[in-house]
Amino acid sequence: MFHTFHRCRTYLTLLASALLILAATPFDALAQKDSPDIPTVSNVVAIQGVRIIQAPGRVIESGTVVFRDGVIEAVGRRVDIPYDASVIDGSDLSVYAGFIDALTNVGVPEPKQQTGAPPSVPDRSNPTFERAGITPEKDVRVLLDPSDKSVGAHRKIGFTTVHTVPYGRMLPGMTAIALLTGDDAASMIYSDATATMFKFQGARGVYPGTPMAIMAKFRQLYKEADRRNHLESMYREDPVGMVRPPYDPVHSAFIPVIEGDQRVFAFTDDALEIHRALNLKEELGIDMVLTGLSAGFDAIDRISETAVPVALTLGVPEKPKWAAKIKKDSLDQILGSYTDDTRTATFRDVEAERRNLEAKQLISRARYLGMPAAYEEAGIAFAFTSYGVKTSEIRSNLREFIEGGLSEDAALAALTTNAADLLGLSASMGTVEEGKIANLIVTAGDLFDKETKIKFVFVDGHKYEIKSPSKSDDKDKDKDEDERRDKDR
Amino acid sequence: MNTKTVYSVGQSLLLLLFVAQFATAQNVVIRNATVLSITNGTLENTDVLIAGGIITEIGTDIRAPRGTQEVDATGKFLMPGIVDAHSHIALSSINEGSSPVTAEVSMEDVVNPYHLGIYRALAGGVTTSHTMHGSANVIGGQNETIKHRWGVTDPDDLRFDGAPRTIKFALGENPTRTHGRRASGGTGAIVPSTRMGVEQVLRSSFENGKRYMEAWDDYHLKVATDSRAIPPVYNGRLEVMADIIRGNILVHCHSYRADEILMLTRVLADYGVRNITFQHANEAFKVAPELAAFGAHASVFSDWWSYKFEVYYSTSYNAAILMRNGIVTSINSDSGELNRHLFHEAGKSQRYGGLTDDEALSMITINPAIQLGIQDRVGSIEIGKDGDVVIFDSHPLSVYAIPEMTFVEGKKYFDRFEDADDMRMEVSPTAEIGMYEGQITGRDRFNHDGEIINFFELFGQETTLNFEDN
Amino acid sequence: MNLLLTLILATLNLFQTGQQQDQKARQGLYAITNARIETVSDGTIENGTVLIEGDRIVAVGENVVIPASATIIDGTGLRVYPGMIDSGTQLALTEVGSVQETNDTNEVGDVTPHMDALTAVNPNAVAIPITRVAGITTVITEPGGGLLPGLAAMINLFGYTPEQMQAGGVKLLVLQFPTKPRAGGGFRRFGGGERPDPDKAYNNALDKLNEIWDRAELYDRIVTEYTASPAGKTQPVYAPEMDAIRPVIRGDRKLMLKVSAEKDILAALDWVKERELTNVVFSGVSEGWRVADKLAEAGIACIVGPILATPTRSSDRYDRAYANVGMLVEAGVKVAIRTGEGDNVRNLPFNAGFAAAYGLGKEAALRAVTLGPAEIFGIDADYGSISVGKKANLFISDGDPFETSTNILALFIDGFNVPIESRQIDLYREFLNRDEGRLTPVEVLPADH
C-alpha cells in the first residue's frame, strides 16, 4: 500500500497543478478533438467579447456567442454565460459562420490514379455503365471517411460543411451534405441524396468519350428512364397481363430527377460547357444547378436570364511564368502601353508585339479573377465550389477575387448564406444566429486578410484548434495538407 | 421596387432592344463593284444594297436609306460569301470513334464560337460552313451548318437558322481501319474491317431504324385508344435513322472508291432515300452517269490525292468531269488551311478541265448551298438572299486576288485594313508567350486520319486530334 | 466542241512541220518562235525565239536564225518560262502516304546522314508526270525523320534512272535543327498533371548535335591527315555517317538546316556561327520574318515554304504565312520557295502566286522558283533562266503560269520535249464522256430501282 499511496500523492499533486494551470489559462484545451483520450467536461462553449459577423453586413463589434450540444443558444452584445460553459476570451478575435462548399469530393478518399492504357473491353461501343463512367446510383455516404486528409485540410481553412460527391466521370453519383467532423462516416452525414452530379468528362477508350456523345448519352438515359417510369407506374397501378418493366439502378437513378425531386449539379469547366449544360436543362426540363463556371464571364447574360442557381469555382488560372518575376509597377506599365489594334508589320515591331501580348494575357487573367465580382455586379447570387481546386490555394484565390473587385461581403455570402440557400440549409446553417448549428470560424483579424490566422474552427460544436503553418498559407508546404484535385481529370 | 419602377425599367429595356435590333441588322450599300452574281451573270459598275441583313436592291446609283454604311468598291469585285460544304472548324470535338454507328451525336452540341478558324476563313471569303462529324464511323454524327458570325459567345448564335439537318456517313479506309483493322486500346476488332462490312453496317442500321420507326408509328396509333399500350424502347440512335428514312436529314457521305459510292446508292434506294451528297468522292468521275441518274451530288477536293490508297487513282479533273456530266458539284476544303483560299481552289477547275468563270465560282457558292439545302438563302447575289458577300481587290479566280472585306447578313466581320493582327477571342491567361504553335499545311491531308480520336493510343488521355486546334 | 478537244488541237497546232505528237520524249533541234520569253535573267523578250539543241539552249532573242531542220513550235500568243524549281519536296520518295511500304523518306535512327535520297528516287513515281505538267522541271527531294536524316538530292523530273535525273550533282546534308518546346494545348484545365521536362529534351538534342559535330570535326582532321600521307598510319575507322558530314565541314557540301520557329532560328544562327559554317541554307523558316534582320546580317539564304499554310501563332496576322517570304526579301534575305509536298508539288506556282500577292511581287516570286534557287545551289551556270548555254529546262504556257486559268502546253527537260501527259490527264480523257463508245444501251441503275 505504501507505494500506492506514494503514487496517489503524485497523482494528486499533478491534478492540483493541472487544475491550477487550467484555472489560470483562459483557453480550455480539453474539448480538443485531437486528444480524444481526454474526457469532455462541458458541452457548452461561450466565446466572450468577440467580434461577431453574424452574416455579411451584420456585425456585432463585441459580443458573446454561446452554443450547447452543437446548437447556438445565444448570440448578442450582452448574453448570460451558462455556469458550465467553457469560456474562450474573444478579445482581438472575430467569429464567422463556417464555410459551406457547394460541391466537392472532400471526405471521399481519392481513388488511386489510373495510369497506362485503359482496361480493355470486348466491345468499346457498348461498355458496362461502370466502365463508361455512368454511375449515378453511387451513394457518396458509404464512401465517406472522416479521417481522410481532405477533411482536415478543408476544415483548417474554414470549411465546416461540404456538399460532397463520389469521384467519377460523366455521372459520378449521388451527393450528400456532410459536416467535417465525426469519428465515423455516419456521424459526418447531415442529409442524404441531395442531388446527382453530371459533368462533361467522357469515358476512357469507350463510348461515350467526346462531349457530343456525352450529351447524346445523357438524353438517351433520361428519355429511356422516363419511359420506364411511365411503365413502372402503369405496372404499380395494375400489373395484370403486363410484362415486368425492365430495371437497372442506372436508369432508376434518373427517376427522381424526372419527377423533379432531385436536382442535377452540373460541373462546367469552360464557357461552352455552360451553354451545353443549360441546353440540356432547357431541352429536358431538368432542375439544374451550375457549378464551376470557369470562364463564365461570357455567359453572364444567359445565366442571368435563366436564373439558374450557380456556384462559382474557387480556382484561378496559374499566373504566367513571365509575370511571376515582374514587379507590380512594371505590370502597370505594360498595361498602360496596351493597344487593342496590334500591327506587327516587320521584325522591328516584334518587341512591341510581345509587350502587347503580355498585356493581353494580364487582361485575360484579370477577367478570370474578376469573374465573381462581375457576377456580384450583375446581381447574380452565387455560392463557391472547390471542385477540382487545390485546398491549399483557396485562401489566396479568394484574396485575388477580392482584389479583382469582389466585395468581402459577397465573398462571405458566397461561402455561407448563399451556399446555405442553394443547398436548402438556411434554416440550420450559414449565419451565426440562435438556433443554428454551431459551425463557426474564429480568426485573429479580418477573415479575408492575407495575414489573418484562423485560430479555431467549430464543427457541430466540436472545437478544432488550428495550428498556424510555418509559412504564409498560400505557399503551404505542409505535408499533411490535402491536395484536393480530381486526379481523374 | 414598385410597379411603376418596374414598368419604366421595362419600357427602357424594350427601347434598348428596339434600338439594338437596328444596330445588329446592318444596312450597307456597296457601290460600283463588278458584281459576280453567279446566277445572273456579271454586272459591271453595280451597287448592292443590304438592309436588315437581306439583299434588297441590285442596280446602279441606288438610293440608300439614311444611316446606311457606304462602301466604295470601285475597281473591285463582289461575289457571294463562300459556302464550304465540308469543314471541321468551330468544334470542340470531331470524332466519337468508339462505335461504327453514332447517329445520335450531333455537332450542334459541340459548336465552339471561339475558334479562330472562323475568322481566318472569313479572311478567305467564307461566310457559311458545314461543320461536320469526322470520318471514323460508317454512320457518324449529325453535322451543323453555321454562319461565320465571328465574335458571338453563345454557340447557338452561330447557327444557320432554318438550315436542313444533315448527317455524316463514311465509307472505305477510315471506318474499316478505326473499327476493324486497328485493334487498339486492347479492345477487339469489330465490324467493319472491309467494304463488305461497311455495307452490312449500313443495311442493319437502316433496317433497325425502319423497324423502330414502324414500332413507334404502331404505338402512336394504339395508344390513342388503349392508354396501357407499351411504348417501344427509346433509342436515340434509331430515332435519327428513322429521320433519315423519313427524309428529314440530308446524307453527306465521305467516300472515295467508285464501287463503294455505287453501293451506297443501292442501300439508299432500298430505303427510299434519294438526297445524297458524296463528300470527297475522288473516284466519282468513274461513275458519273450513275450518279447523275440517281440525282446524287458531289463535294470534292480540288486536287488532293495519294495520301491513302483509295485516292491513289484520282484525278484533279474530277470536279470538271462531274460538272460536265450534269452533277451538282462543289469544291470543299475539309481543312482549316484550304478554307482560307477556296476561291483559288475553285480556280483550279479552270486548269483541270477548262471550266468557265461562273462554273468555277458556282462550285463554292450556289452548288454547295444546294447540297446543304440552303440555296434559297445563300449562294448567289440576288434580291431576297442573305447579305453574305465578299469584296475582292481583283477577280477572285486570279491567284493574286486578295479578299478585302467579308460581310455576313450585312455586318462586316472581316476588313483587311481595319482589323488588328491579333483577332483572338480568347486569350490564355497561362500559356507562355512567344511560342511557336505549329501550322496547318496541305500536308495535313496525311493527317486525314487525325480526324479520328486517338484516345485509344494516348494513355489515360482523351483527346481528339483536332488539327484545327492551332 | 468540248474544251479537251480544243486543247489537244491547240497542242497539235504547235508543230508546224506536221510531225505527229507522240508519247515519247525526244531531244532534237527545236525552235520556239514568236513567243514572249520571260528569261528571268535578262528581262522579257516580247517577241522572240528560243533555239534548243540537244540538252542546251543554243540561242535566245528577237532575231535568231532558225536552222531548216528545226522542229518549229509556233509560240504566237504564248509565253516561254524557265522550268520551275521546288527547293524542298519529298517527290519520288513516297507514293501513297498511308502505305508504309511506299514511303522511303524516313530511315530508322536519329543519326543517318549518309542515307542518300537519290538512291531511293523512283523515276516512275506517278507523281512525277503530274508535277512536271505544271511547269516544274526540277526539285530538291529530301529525306526526313531524325536529327540527321540524310542527303537531299536535286533531280530533274525526267529520266529513266536516278542518275539520269540528277541535276547539277547537287546533294545537301539535311539537319533537322533541335526544336525548343512548342506551345502546349488547352488552357482551361488549370492545375493539370505533370509534363515531362520539355527543356530537358531540347538540351539533350542540342548536346547530341554538338557531340556529333565535334566528332565529325575530329574525323575530318584524321582523314585529312591520313589522306595527305598514309604511310605508317593505321587506317581511319569506318564511319560512313562522318564521311557524309565531312564535306560540309570542309565547305564543299551545302548544309540544309531545317528550322522554323523564331527561337530555333536564333539558336541555329548561333550554332552555325560557332561552327564556322558558311555553306549553309535554312529551310522552312516559317517565322523567319521575326528575325529577318539577323538572317540578312548572317547572309544565310532561306528556302521558305509552304506559303499556303496557316500562321504559326494564333496571335499572328491571318496572312502571315503568305507574307513571310516577302518580308524576308525586304530585309535583304536571299530566298527560294518550297512546297514541302510529296505528291502535290504541282502547287508550287500557286504558292509563289500567293507570295507575290502578299508582298513579294510577281518578279521576285518568279525568281524565287527559278534563278533564285539556281544561284543558291550554285547551279546557275546551267539552270534557272532562259539563257544561251543553259540546260533546256523550260515550258510554254498560254499565260502567267501562276494563274490557275493558264494552261501549260509544252515542256522541255534536259532538252527532251516531254509530252504533257499524266495519269490524271489520262483519266480525264477516258471518263469525261465515259459511255461515248457504247452503242448497246445499259441501265445505269440496277433494274429493281
Side-chain angles (χ1 to χ4, degrees), chain C residues 437-448:
Chain C
R438 175 174 283 285
L439 288 175
T440 53
V442 71
E443 268 242 41
V444 178
L445 292 173
D448 48 317

PDB file of all heavy atoms in Angstrom, chain C residues 437-448:
ATOM      1  N   GLY C 437     -18.287   5.524-126.165  1.00  0.00           N
ATOM      2  CA  GLY C 437     -18.042   4.442-127.126  1.00  0.00           C
ATOM      3  C   GLY C 437     -19.107   3.363-127.105  1.00  0.00           C
ATOM      4  O   GLY C 437     -19.025   2.365-127.794  1.00  0.00           O
ATOM      5  N   ARG C 438     -20.119   3.544-126.268  1.00  0.00           N
ATOM      6  CA  ARG C 438     -21.122   2.485-126.111  1.00  0.00           C
ATOM      7  C   ARG C 438     -22.253   2.632-127.119  1.00  0.00           C
ATOM      8  O   ARG C 438     -22.805   3.706-127.306  1.00  0.00           O
ATOM      9  CB  ARG C 438     -21.678   2.560-124.676  1.00  0.00           C
ATOM     10  CG  ARG C 438     -22.810   1.613-124.408  1.00  0.00           C
ATOM     11  CD  ARG C 438     -23.186   1.675-122.937  1.00  0.00           C
ATOM     12  NE  ARG C 438     -22.245   0.948-122.102  1.00  0.00           N
ATOM     13  CZ  ARG C 438     -22.186  -0.372-122.022  1.00  0.00           C
ATOM     14  NH1 ARG C 438     -23.020  -1.127-122.719  1.00  0.00           N
ATOM     15  NH2 ARG C 438     -21.309  -0.945-121.255  1.00  0.00           N
ATOM     16  N   LEU C 439     -22.556   1.539-127.745  1.00  0.00           N
ATOM     17  CA  LEU C 439     -23.703   1.516-128.642  1.00  0.00           C
ATOM     18  C   LEU C 439     -24.879   0.794-127.993  1.00  0.00           C
ATOM     19  O   LEU C 439     -26.029   1.213-128.087  1.00  0.00           O
ATOM     20  CB  LEU C 439     -23.341   0.806-129.967  1.00  0.00           C
ATOM     21  CG  LEU C 439     -22.411   1.584-130.905  1.00  0.00           C
ATOM     22  CD1 LEU C 439     -22.036   0.739-132.121  1.00  0.00           C
ATOM     23  CD2 LEU C 439     -23.108   2.879-131.375  1.00  0.00           C
ATOM     24  N   THR C 440     -24.532  -0.331-127.326  1.00  0.00           N
ATOM     25  CA  THR C 440     -25.613  -1.111-126.697  1.00  0.00           C
ATOM     26  C   THR C 440     -26.004  -0.428-125.392  1.00  0.00           C
ATOM     27  O   THR C 440     -25.171  -0.158-124.556  1.00  0.00           O
ATOM     28  CB  THR C 440     -25.146  -2.534-126.395  1.00  0.00           C
ATOM     29  OG1 THR C 440     -23.927  -2.455-125.631  1.00  0.00           O
ATOM     30  CG2 THR C 440     -24.869  -3.291-127.673  1.00  0.00           C
ATOM     31  N   PRO C 441     -27.294  -0.157-125.222  1.00  0.00           N
ATOM     32  CA  PRO C 441     -27.703   0.571-124.008  1.00  0.00           C
ATOM     33  C   PRO C 441     -27.556  -0.299-122.778  1.00  0.00           C
ATOM     34  O   PRO C 441     -27.633  -1.515-122.857  1.00  0.00           O
ATOM     35  CB  PRO C 441     -29.176   0.902-124.266  1.00  0.00           C
ATOM     36  CG  PRO C 441     -29.648  -0.139-125.239  1.00  0.00           C
ATOM     37  CD  PRO C 441     -28.472  -0.530-126.062  1.00  0.00           C
ATOM     38  N   VAL C 442     -27.317   0.346-121.661  1.00  0.00           N
ATOM     39  CA  VAL C 442     -27.265  -0.395-120.402  1.00  0.00           C
ATOM     40  C   VAL C 442     -27.944   0.457-119.344  1.00  0.00           C
ATOM     41  O   VAL C 442     -27.901   1.685-119.383  1.00  0.00           O
ATOM     42  CB  VAL C 442     -25.796  -0.689-119.990  1.00  0.00           C
ATOM     43  CG1 VAL C 442     -25.078   0.584-119.545  1.00  0.00           C
ATOM     44  CG2 VAL C 442     -25.740  -1.736-118.886  1.00  0.00           C
ATOM     45  N   GLU C 443     -28.624  -0.205-118.447  1.00  0.00           N
ATOM     46  CA  GLU C 443     -29.303   0.522-117.371  1.00  0.00           C
ATOM     47  C   GLU C 443     -28.270   1.078-116.424  1.00  0.00           C
ATOM     48  O   GLU C 443     -27.436   0.344-115.918  1.00  0.00           O
ATOM     49  CB  GLU C 443     -30.223  -0.431-116.613  1.00  0.00           C
ATOM     50  CG  GLU C 443     -31.616  -0.442-117.177  1.00  0.00           C
ATOM     51  CD  GLU C 443     -32.650   0.027-116.150  1.00  0.00           C
ATOM     52  OE1 GLU C 443     -32.358   0.994-115.419  1.00  0.00           O
ATOM     53  OE2 GLU C 443     -33.708  -0.599-116.080  1.00  0.00           O
ATOM     54  N   VAL C 444     -28.359   2.343-116.235  1.00  0.00           N
ATOM     55  CA  VAL C 444     -27.374   2.977-115.364  1.00  0.00           C
ATOM     56  C   VAL C 444     -27.597   2.563-113.907  1.00  0.00           C
ATOM     57  O   VAL C 444     -26.664   2.423-113.134  1.00  0.00           O
ATOM     58  CB  VAL C 444     -27.441   4.503-115.524  1.00  0.00           C
ATOM     59  CG1 VAL C 444     -26.471   5.172-114.605  1.00  0.00           C
ATOM     60  CG2 VAL C 444     -27.117   4.869-116.952  1.00  0.00           C
ATOM     61  N   LEU C 445     -28.858   2.393-113.557  1.00  0.00           N
ATOM     62  CA  LEU C 445     -29.147   1.893-112.212  1.00  0.00           C
ATOM     63  C   LEU C 445     -29.700   0.485-112.354  1.00  0.00           C
ATOM     64  O   LEU C 445     -30.381   0.194-113.314  1.00  0.00           O
ATOM     65  CB  LEU C 445     -30.184   2.770-111.512  1.00  0.00           C
ATOM     66  CG  LEU C 445     -29.751   4.173-111.141  1.00  0.00           C
ATOM     67  CD1 LEU C 445     -30.935   4.967-110.626  1.00  0.00           C
ATOM     68  CD2 LEU C 445     -28.641   4.143-110.110  1.00  0.00           C
ATOM     69  N   PRO C 446     -29.434  -0.408-111.392  1.00  0.00           N
ATOM     70  CA  PRO C 446     -29.950  -1.773-111.481  1.00  0.00           C
ATOM     71  C   PRO C 446     -31.470  -1.766-111.639  1.00  0.00           C
ATOM     72  O   PRO C 446     -32.149  -0.874-111.151  1.00  0.00           O
ATOM     73  CB  PRO C 446     -29.539  -2.391-110.137  1.00  0.00           C
ATOM     74  CG  PRO C 446     -28.394  -1.582-109.680  1.00  0.00           C
ATOM     75  CD  PRO C 446     -28.590  -0.211-110.227  1.00  0.00           C
ATOM     76  N   ALA C 447     -31.981  -2.831-112.294  1.00  0.00           N
ATOM     77  CA  ALA C 447     -33.379  -2.866-112.729  1.00  0.00           C
ATOM     78  C   ALA C 447     -34.373  -2.693-111.583  1.00  0.00           C
ATOM     79  O   ALA C 447     -35.428  -2.104-111.774  1.00  0.00           O
ATOM     80  CB  ALA C 447     -33.657  -4.168-113.464  1.00  0.00           C
ATOM     81  N   ASP C 448     -34.023  -3.185-110.385  1.00  0.00           N
ATOM     82  CA  ASP C 448     -35.030  -3.167-109.331  1.00  0.00           C
ATOM     83  C   ASP C 448     -35.228  -1.806-108.693  1.00  0.00           C
ATOM     84  O   ASP C 448     -35.943  -1.647-107.725  1.00  0.00           O
ATOM     85  CB  ASP C 448     -34.702  -4.220-108.250  1.00  0.00           C
ATOM     86  CG  ASP C 448     -33.245  -4.137-107.834  1.00  0.00           C
ATOM     87  OD1 ASP C 448     -32.394  -4.000-108.739  1.00  0.00           O
ATOM     88  OD2 ASP C 448     -32.961  -4.220-106.646  1.00  0.00           O
TER      89      ASP C 448
END
